[in-house]
Amino acid sequence: MDNEHYDLDIDAAAGDKKATVKRLLRYALQVKRPLLFALLMLTVAVATDLAGPLVAKRLIDVHITGIEKPWYSASAGDRFAADYKDASYKRADHFAPEEERSGEVRVLQIGRNYYFVPGPIA
């Protein structure tokens, strides 16, 4: 067994890189449909992997830390209005561009507590 010799250059006689690539392409063309399907599924898998962080970013930016954006007085029946102490307020990003805004207030989160500030803050 000590006399065994492994020749790592044994495939060098099989041809150059160009010939190897041609052989691989001929083989790939025989299984074209499954190969294309596999590439499509790989693309879908990568896209879904990348979608998760984008959804998480939107949840954090808009729905969790969005509470600290400016709020303005709104009518009680408004779809986006939140009631607090006999008044209704709507977050600034829920106003239509032509909709009038008045009475800015802020909601601040510090730790697990929320604080209502009845006016604008710097």
Side-chain angles (χ1 to χ4, degrees):
M1 291 266 184
D2 290 335
N3 295 338
E4 284 187 31
H5 177 66
Y6 294 103
D7 188 4
L8 298 178
D9 295 327
I10 198 165
D11 285 340
D16 60 352
K17 289 182 184 179
K18 200 173 196 181
T20 305
V21 169
K22 281 183 181 180
R23 280 197 331 264
L24 285 173
L25 284 176
R26 264 189 266 131
Y27 174 73
L29 289 175
Q30 292 174 1
V31 290
K32 184 173 24 175
R33 185 170 283 160
L35 188 62
L36 289 175
F37 182 72
L39 288 174
L40 176 69
M41 290 290 89
L42 179 64
T43 303
V44 169
V46 169
T48 55
D49 280 348
L50 294 176
L54 292 175
V55 171
K57 177 191 180 304
R58 173 114 175 119
L59 283 171
I60 292 168
D61 291 348
V62 174
H63 300 290
I64 295 174
T65 61
I67 196 166
E68 294 190 0
K69 292 182 179 180
W71 292 71
Y72 296 96
S73 297
S75 58
D78 195 313
R79 177 177 142 193
F80 295 109
D83 297 329
Y84 180 74
K85 291 190 178 180
D86 298 327
S88 294
Y89 302 97
K90 185 164 60 167
R91 207 168 63 199
D93 57 342
H94 291 296
F95 276 86
E98 67 278 351
E99 196 173 355
E100 185 179 325
R101 301 174 187 196
S102 64
E104 180 181 342
V105 298
R106 296 301 281 266
V107 178
L108 300 178
Q109 179 182 4
I110 301 172
R112 291 185 173 196
N113 298 317
Y114 293 90
Y115 298 96
F116 182 82
V117 180
I121 58 174

Coordinates of all heavy atoms in Angstrom, one line a residue, residues 16-87:
D16 N -8.3 20.3 -22.9 CA -8.1 21.6 -22.3 C -9.5 22.1 -21.7 O -10.5 21.4 -21.7 CB -7.6 22.6 -23.3 CG -8.5 22.8 -24.5 OD1 -9.4 22.0 -24.6 OD2 -8.2 23.7 -25.3
K17 N -9.4 23.3 -21.1 CA -10.6 23.8 -20.5 C -11.8 24.1 -21.5 O -12.9 23.9 -21.2 CB -10.3 25.1 -19.8 CG -9.5 25.0 -18.5 CD -9.2 26.3 -17.9 CE -8.3 26.1 -16.7 NZ -8.0 27.3 -16.0
K18 N -11.4 24.5 -22.7 CA -12.4 24.7 -23.7 C -13.2 23.5 -24.0 O -14.4 23.5 -24.1 CB -11.7 25.3 -24.9 CG -12.6 26.0 -25.9 CD -11.7 26.6 -27.0 CE -12.5 27.7 -27.7 NZ -11.7 28.2 -28.8
A19 N -12.5 22.4 -24.1 CA -13.2 21.1 -24.4 C -14.1 20.7 -23.3 O -15.2 20.2 -23.4 CB -12.2 20.0 -24.8
T20 N -13.6 20.9 -22.1 CA -14.4 20.6 -20.9 C -15.6 21.4 -20.8 O -16.7 20.9 -20.5 CB -13.5 20.8 -19.6 OG1 -12.3 20.0 -19.7 CG2 -14.3 20.3 -18.4
V21 N -15.5 22.7 -21.1 CA -16.7 23.5 -21.1 C -17.7 23.1 -22.1 O -18.9 23.1 -21.9 CB -16.3 25.0 -21.2 CG1 -17.5 25.9 -21.5 CG2 -15.5 25.5 -20.0
K22 N -17.2 22.7 -23.3 CA -18.1 22.2 -24.4 C -18.9 21.0 -23.9 O -20.1 20.9 -24.2 CB -17.3 22.0 -25.6 CG -17.0 23.2 -26.4 CD -16.3 22.8 -27.7 CE -15.9 24.0 -28.5 NZ -15.2 23.6 -29.8
R23 N -18.2 20.1 -23.3 CA -18.8 18.8 -22.8 C -19.8 19.1 -21.7 O -20.9 18.6 -21.8 CB -17.7 17.9 -22.2 CG -17.0 17.1 -23.3 CD -16.3 15.9 -22.7 NE -15.8 15.9 -21.3 CZ -14.6 16.3 -20.9 NH1 -13.7 16.6 -21.8 NH2 -14.3 16.3 -19.7
L24 N -19.5 20.1 -20.8 CA -20.5 20.4 -19.8 C -21.7 21.1 -20.4 O -22.9 20.9 -20.0 CB -19.8 21.4 -18.8 CG -18.9 20.7 -17.8 CD1 -18.2 21.7 -17.0 CD2 -19.6 19.7 -16.9
L25 N -21.5 22.0 -21.4 CA -22.7 22.6 -22.0 C -23.5 21.6 -22.8 O -24.8 21.7 -22.8 CB -22.2 23.7 -23.0 CG -21.7 25.0 -22.3 CD1 -21.2 26.0 -23.3 CD2 -22.9 25.6 -21.5
R26 N -22.9 20.7 -23.5 CA -23.7 19.6 -24.1 C -24.6 18.8 -23.1 O -25.7 18.5 -23.4 CB -22.8 18.7 -24.9 CG -22.7 19.1 -26.4 CD -21.9 18.0 -27.2 NE -20.5 18.4 -27.2 CZ -19.5 17.6 -26.9 NH1 -19.7 16.4 -26.6 NH2 -18.3 18.1 -26.9
Y27 N -24.0 18.5 -22.0 CA -24.7 17.8 -21.0 C -25.9 18.7 -20.4 O -27.0 18.3 -20.2 CB -23.8 17.4 -19.8 CG -24.6 16.8 -18.7 CD1 -25.1 15.5 -18.8 CD2 -24.8 17.5 -17.5 CE1 -25.8 15.0 -17.7 CE2 -25.5 17.0 -16.4 CZ -26.0 15.7 -16.6 OH -26.7 15.2 -15.5
A28 N -25.6 20.0 -20.2 CA -26.6 20.9 -19.6 C -27.7 21.1 -20.6 O -28.9 21.2 -20.2 CB -25.9 22.2 -19.3
L29 N -27.5 21.1 -21.9 CA -28.5 21.3 -22.9 C -29.5 20.0 -22.9 O -30.6 20.2 -23.3 CB -28.0 21.5 -24.3 CG -27.3 22.9 -24.4 CD1 -26.7 23.0 -25.8 CD2 -28.4 24.0 -24.2
Q30 N -29.0 18.9 -22.5 CA -29.8 17.7 -22.4 C -30.8 17.8 -21.3 O -31.9 17.2 -21.4 CB -29.0 16.4 -22.3 CG -28.1 16.1 -23.5 CD -27.2 14.9 -23.2 OE1 -27.2 14.4 -22.1 NE2 -26.4 14.6 -24.2
V31 N -30.5 18.5 -20.3 CA -31.4 18.6 -19.1 C -31.8 20.1 -18.9 O -31.8 20.7 -17.8 CB -30.7 18.1 -17.8 CG1 -30.6 16.6 -17.9 CG2 -29.4 18.7 -17.6
K32 N -32.1 20.7 -20.1 CA -32.3 22.2 -20.1 C -33.5 22.6 -19.2 O -33.5 23.5 -18.4 CB -32.6 22.6 -21.5 CG -32.8 24.1 -21.7 CD -32.8 24.6 -23.1 CE -33.2 23.6 -24.1 NZ -33.4 24.1 -25.5
R33 N -34.7 21.9 -19.4 CA -35.9 22.2 -18.6 C -35.7 22.2 -17.1 O -36.0 23.1 -16.4 CB -37.0 21.4 -19.1 CG -38.3 21.8 -18.5 CD -39.5 21.2 -19.1 NE -39.8 21.8 -20.4 CZ -40.4 21.3 -21.4 NH1 -40.9 20.1 -21.2 NH2 -40.6 22.0 -22.5
P34 N -35.2 21.0 -16.6 CA -35.0 21.0 -15.1 C -33.9 22.0 -14.6 O -34.1 22.6 -13.5 CB -34.5 19.6 -14.8 CG -34.9 18.8 -16.0 CD -35.0 19.7 -17.2
L35 N -32.9 22.3 -15.4 CA -31.9 23.3 -15.1 C -32.5 24.7 -15.0 O -32.3 25.4 -14.0 CB -30.8 23.2 -16.1 CG -29.5 24.1 -15.7 CD1 -28.9 23.6 -14.4 CD2 -28.5 24.0 -16.9
L36 N -33.4 25.0 -16.0 CA -34.0 26.3 -15.9 C -35.0 26.5 -14.8 O -35.1 27.5 -14.1 CB -34.7 26.6 -17.3 CG -33.8 26.9 -18.5 CD1 -34.6 27.0 -19.7 CD2 -33.0 28.1 -18.2
F37 N -35.7 25.4 -14.5 CA -36.6 25.4 -13.4 C -35.9 25.5 -12.1 O -36.3 26.3 -11.2 CB -37.4 24.0 -13.4 CG -38.4 24.0 -12.2 CD1 -39.6 24.8 -12.3 CD2 -38.2 23.2 -11.1 CE1 -40.5 24.7 -11.2 CE2 -39.1 23.1 -10.1 CZ -40.3 23.9 -10.2
A38 N -34.7 24.9 -11.9 CA -33.9 25.0 -10.7 C -33.4 26.4 -10.6 O -33.4 27.0 -9.5 CB -32.7 24.0 -10.8
L39 N -33.0 27.1 -11.7 CA -32.5 28.5 -11.6 C -33.7 29.4 -11.2 O -33.5 30.3 -10.4 CB -31.9 28.9 -12.9 CG -30.5 28.3 -13.2 CD1 -30.1 28.6 -14.6 CD2 -29.5 28.7 -12.2
L40 N -34.8 29.1 -11.7 CA -36.0 29.9 -11.4 C -36.3 29.8 -9.9 O -36.6 30.8 -9.2 CB -37.2 29.5 -12.2 CG -38.5 30.2 -11.9 CD1 -38.4 31.7 -12.3 CD2 -39.7 29.6 -12.6
M41 N -36.3 28.6 -9.4 CA -36.6 28.3 -8.0 C -35.5 29.0 -7.1 O -35.8 29.5 -6.0 CB -36.7 26.8 -7.7 CG -37.9 26.2 -8.3 SD -39.5 26.6 -7.5 CE -40.0 28.1 -8.4
L42 N -34.3 28.9 -7.5 CA -33.2 29.6 -6.8 C -33.4 31.1 -6.7 O -33.3 31.7 -5.6 CB -31.9 29.3 -7.4 CG -30.6 29.9 -6.8 CD1 -30.4 29.4 -5.4 CD2 -29.4 29.7 -7.6
T43 N -33.9 31.7 -7.8 CA -34.2 33.1 -7.8 C -35.3 33.4 -6.9 O -35.3 34.4 -6.1 CB -34.6 33.6 -9.3 OG1 -33.5 33.2 -10.1 CG2 -34.8 35.0 -9.3
V44 N -36.4 32.6 -6.9 CA -37.5 32.8 -6.0 C -37.1 32.7 -4.5 O -37.4 33.5 -3.6 CB -38.6 31.8 -6.3 CG1 -39.7 31.8 -5.2 CG2 -39.3 32.1 -7.6
A45 N -36.2 31.7 -4.2 CA -35.7 31.5 -2.8 C -34.9 32.7 -2.4 O -35.1 33.2 -1.2 CB -34.9 30.2 -2.8
V46 N -34.1 33.2 -3.2 CA -33.2 34.4 -2.8 C -34.1 35.6 -2.6 O -34.0 36.4 -1.7 CB -32.2 34.6 -3.9 CG1 -31.5 36.0 -3.7 CG2 -31.1 33.5 -3.9
A47 N -35.1 35.8 -3.5 CA -36.0 36.9 -3.4 C -36.8 36.9 -2.1 O -37.0 37.9 -1.4 CB -37.0 37.0 -4.6
T48 N -37.3 35.7 -1.7 CA -38.1 35.6 -0.4 C -37.1 35.7 0.8 O -37.6 36.3 1.8 CB -38.8 34.2 -0.4 OG1 -37.9 33.2 -0.5 CG2 -39.9 34.1 -1.4
D49 N -35.9 35.3 0.7 CA -35.0 35.5 1.8 C -34.7 37.0 1.9 O -34.5 37.5 3.1 CB -33.6 34.8 1.5 CG -33.7 33.4 1.9 OD1 -34.6 32.9 2.5 OD2 -32.7 32.6 1.5
L50 N -34.6 37.8 0.9 CA -34.4 39.2 1.0 C -35.6 40.0 1.3 O -35.5 41.1 1.8 CB -33.8 39.7 -0.4 CG -32.4 39.2 -0.8 CD1 -32.1 39.7 -2.2 CD2 -31.4 39.6 0.2
A51 N -36.8 39.4 1.1 CA -38.0 40.2 1.5 C -38.2 40.3 3.0 O -38.8 41.3 3.4 CB -39.2 39.5 0.8
G52 N -37.8 39.3 3.7 CA -38.0 39.3 5.2 C -37.4 40.6 5.9 O -38.2 41.2 6.6
P53 N -36.2 40.9 5.6 CA -35.6 42.1 6.3 C -36.3 43.4 5.8 O -36.5 44.3 6.6 CB -34.2 42.1 5.8 CG -33.9 40.7 5.6 CD -35.1 40.1 5.0
L54 N -36.8 43.4 4.6 CA -37.5 44.6 4.1 C -38.9 44.8 4.8 O -39.3 45.9 5.2 CB -37.8 44.5 2.6 CG -36.5 44.7 1.7 CD1 -36.9 44.4 0.2 CD2 -35.9 46.0 1.9
V55 N -39.6 43.7 5.1 CA -40.8 43.7 5.8 C -40.6 44.1 7.2 O -41.3 45.0 7.8 CB -41.5 42.4 5.7 CG1 -42.7 42.3 6.7 CG2 -42.0 42.1 4.3
A56 N -39.5 43.6 7.8 CA -39.2 43.9 9.2 C -38.8 45.4 9.3 O -39.2 46.1 10.3 CB -38.0 43.1 9.7
K57 N -38.1 46.0 8.4 CA -37.7 47.4 8.4 C -39.0 48.2 8.3 O -39.1 49.2 9.1 CB -36.8 47.7 7.2 CG -36.5 49.2 7.1 CD -35.8 49.5 5.7 CE -35.4 50.9 5.6 NZ -36.5 51.9 5.7
R58 N -39.9 47.9 7.5 CA -41.2 48.7 7.4 C -41.9 48.6 8.7 O -42.5 49.6 9.1 CB -42.0 48.1 6.2 CG -43.3 48.7 6.1 CD -43.5 49.5 4.9 NE -44.9 50.0 4.7 CZ -45.2 51.3 4.7 NH1 -44.2 52.2 4.7 NH2 -46.4 51.7 4.6
L59 N -42.0 47.4 9.3 CA -42.7 47.3 10.5 C -42.1 48.2 11.6 O -42.8 48.8 12.4 CB -42.7 45.8 11.0 CG -43.7 44.9 10.3 CD1 -43.5 43.5 10.7 CD2 -45.1 45.3 10.6
I60 N -40.8 48.1 11.7 CA -40.1 48.9 12.7 C -40.3 50.4 12.5 O -40.7 51.2 13.3 CB -38.7 48.5 12.8 CG1 -38.6 47.1 13.4 CG2 -37.9 49.5 13.7 CD1 -37.2 46.5 13.3
D61 N -40.0 50.9 11.2 CA -40.0 52.3 10.9 C -41.3 52.9 11.0 O -41.5 54.0 11.4 CB -39.3 52.5 9.5 CG -37.9 52.2 9.5 OD1 -37.3 52.1 10.6 OD2 -37.3 52.2 8.4
V62 N -42.3 52.2 10.5 CA -43.7 52.8 10.3 C -44.6 52.5 11.5 O -45.2 53.4 12.1 CB -44.4 52.4 9.0 CG1 -45.8 52.8 8.9 CG2 -43.6 52.8 7.8
H63 N -44.6 51.3 12.0 CA -45.6 50.9 13.0 C -45.0 50.9 14.4 O -45.8 51.1 15.3 CB -46.1 49.6 12.6 CG -46.8 49.5 11.3 ND1 -48.0 50.2 11.1 CD2 -46.4 49.0 10.1 CE1 -48.3 50.0 9.8 NE2 -47.4 49.3 9.2
I64 N -43.8 50.7 14.6 CA -43.3 50.7 16.0 C -42.7 52.1 16.4 O -43.1 52.7 17.4 CB -42.2 49.6 16.2 CG1 -42.9 48.2 16.0 CG2 -41.6 49.7 17.6 CD1 -42.0 47.1 16.0
T65 N -41.7 52.6 15.7 CA -41.2 53.9 16.0 C -41.9 55.0 15.4 O -41.7 56.2 15.7 CB -39.7 54.0 15.6 OG1 -39.6 53.8 14.2 CG2 -38.8 53.0 16.3
G66 N -42.9 54.7 14.6 CA -43.7 55.8 13.9 C -44.6 56.5 14.9 O -45.1 57.6 14.6
I67 N -44.8 56.0 16.1 CA -45.6 56.7 17.1 C -44.9 58.0 17.5 O -45.6 58.9 18.0 CB -45.8 55.8 18.4 CG1 -46.9 56.3 19.2 CG2 -44.5 55.6 19.2 CD1 -47.5 55.4 20.2
E68 N -43.6 58.1 17.3 CA -43.0 59.4 17.7 C -43.0 60.4 16.7 O -42.4 61.5 16.8 CB -41.5 59.1 18.2 CG -41.5 58.2 19.4 CD -40.1 58.0 20.0 OE1 -39.2 58.6 19.4 OE2 -40.0 57.4 21.0
K69 N -43.7 60.2 15.6 CA -43.9 61.3 14.5 C -44.9 62.3 15.1 O -45.6 62.0 16.0 CB -44.4 60.6 13.2 CG -43.3 59.8 12.6 CD -43.8 59.2 11.3 CE -42.8 58.3 10.6 NZ -43.2 57.8 9.4
P70 N -44.9 63.5 14.4 CA -45.9 64.5 14.9 C -47.4 64.0 14.7 O -47.7 63.3 13.7 CB -45.7 65.7 14.0 CG -44.3 65.5 13.4 CD -44.1 64.0 13.4
W71 N -48.2 64.3 15.6 CA -49.7 64.0 15.6 C -50.4 65.3 15.5 O -50.0 66.3 16.1 CB -50.1 63.2 16.8 CG -49.6 61.8 16.8 CD1 -48.3 61.4 17.1 CD2 -50.3 60.6 16.6 NE1 -48.1 60.1 17.0 CE2 -49.4 59.5 16.8 CE3 -51.6 60.3 16.3 CZ2 -49.7 58.2 16.6 CZ3 -52.0 59.0 16.2 CH2 -51.1 57.9 16.4
Y72 N -51.6 65.4 14.9 CA -52.3 66.6 14.8 C -53.8 66.3 15.1 O -54.2 65.1 15.0 CB -52.3 67.2 13.4 CG -50.9 67.6 13.0 CD1 -50.0 66.7 12.3 CD2 -50.4 68.8 13.3 CE1 -48.8 67.1 11.9 CE2 -49.1 69.2 13.0 CZ -48.3 68.4 12.3 OH -47.0 68.8 11.9
S73 N -54.5 67.3 15.5 CA -55.9 67.1 15.8 C -56.7 66.6 14.6 O -56.4 67.0 13.5 CB -56.6 68.5 16.3 OG -55.9 68.9 17.5
A74 N -57.6 65.7 14.8 CA -58.4 65.2 13.7 C -59.8 65.0 14.2 O -60.2 65.0 15.4 CB -57.8 63.8 13.3
S75 N -60.7 64.7 13.2 CA -62.1 64.5 13.6 C -62.2 63.1 14.1 O -61.5 62.1 13.8 CB -63.0 64.6 12.3 OG -62.6 63.7 11.3
A76 N -63.2 62.9 15.0 CA -63.4 61.6 15.8 C -63.7 60.5 14.8 O -63.3 59.3 15.1 CB -64.4 61.8 16.8
G77 N -64.4 60.7 13.7 CA -64.7 59.6 12.9 C -63.7 59.2 11.9 O -63.9 58.3 11.0
D78 N -62.5 59.8 11.9 CA -61.5 59.6 10.9 C -60.9 58.1 11.1 O -60.8 57.7 12.2 CB -60.3 60.6 11.0 CG -59.4 60.6 9.8 OD1 -59.0 59.5 9.4 OD2 -59.1 61.7 9.3
R79 N -60.7 57.5 10.0 CA -60.2 56.1 10.0 C -58.8 55.9 10.7 O -58.6 54.9 11.4 CB -60.1 55.6 8.5 CG -59.5 54.3 8.4 CD -59.5 53.9 6.9 NE -58.3 53.1 6.7 CZ -57.9 52.9 5.5 NH1 -58.5 53.3 4.4 NH2 -56.8 52.1 5.3
F80 N -58.0 56.9 10.6 CA -56.6 56.8 11.2 C -56.5 57.5 12.5 O -55.4 57.6 13.1 CB -55.6 57.4 10.3 CG -55.4 56.6 9.0 CD1 -55.9 57.1 7.8 CD2 -54.9 55.3 9.0 CE1 -55.7 56.4 6.6 CE2 -54.7 54.6 7.9 CZ -55.1 55.1 6.7
A81 N -57.6 58.1 13.1 CA -57.6 58.8 14.3 C -57.5 57.9 15.5 O -58.1 56.8 15.6 CB -58.8 59.7 14.4
A82 N -56.7 58.4 16.5 CA -56.6 57.7 17.8 C -57.2 58.7 18.9 O -56.9 59.9 18.9 CB -55.2 57.4 18.1
D83 N -58.0 58.2 19.7 CA -58.7 59.0 20.8 C -57.8 59.0 22.0 O -57.3 58.0 22.4 CB -60.1 58.5 21.1 CG -61.0 58.6 19.9 OD1 -60.8 59.5 19.1 OD2 -61.9 57.7 19.8
Y84 N -57.7 60.2 22.6 CA -57.0 60.3 23.9 C -57.5 61.5 24.6 O -57.6 62.7 24.1 CB -55.5 60.6 23.6 CG -54.7 60.7 24.9 CD1 -54.4 59.6 25.7 CD2 -54.2 62.0 25.3 CE1 -53.7 59.7 26.8 CE2 -53.4 62.1 26.4 CZ -53.2 61.0 27.2 OH -52.5 61.1 28.4
K85 N -58.1 61.2 25.8 CA -58.7 62.3 26.7 C -59.6 63.2 25.9 O -59.4 64.4 25.8 CB -57.6 63.1 27.4 CG -56.8 62.3 28.4 CD -55.9 63.2 29.2 CE -55.1 62.4 30.2 NZ -54.3 63.2 31.0
D86 N -60.7 62.6 25.4 CA -61.8 63.3 24.8 C -61.3 64.1 23.5 O -62.0 65.1 23.2 CB -62.5 64.3 25.8 CG -63.1 63.5 26.9 OD1 -63.6 62.4 26.7 OD2 -63.1 64.1 28.0
A87 N -60.3 63.7 22.9 CA -59.8 64.4 21.7 C -59.3 63.3 20.7 O -58.9 62.2 21.2 CB -58.7 65.4 21.9

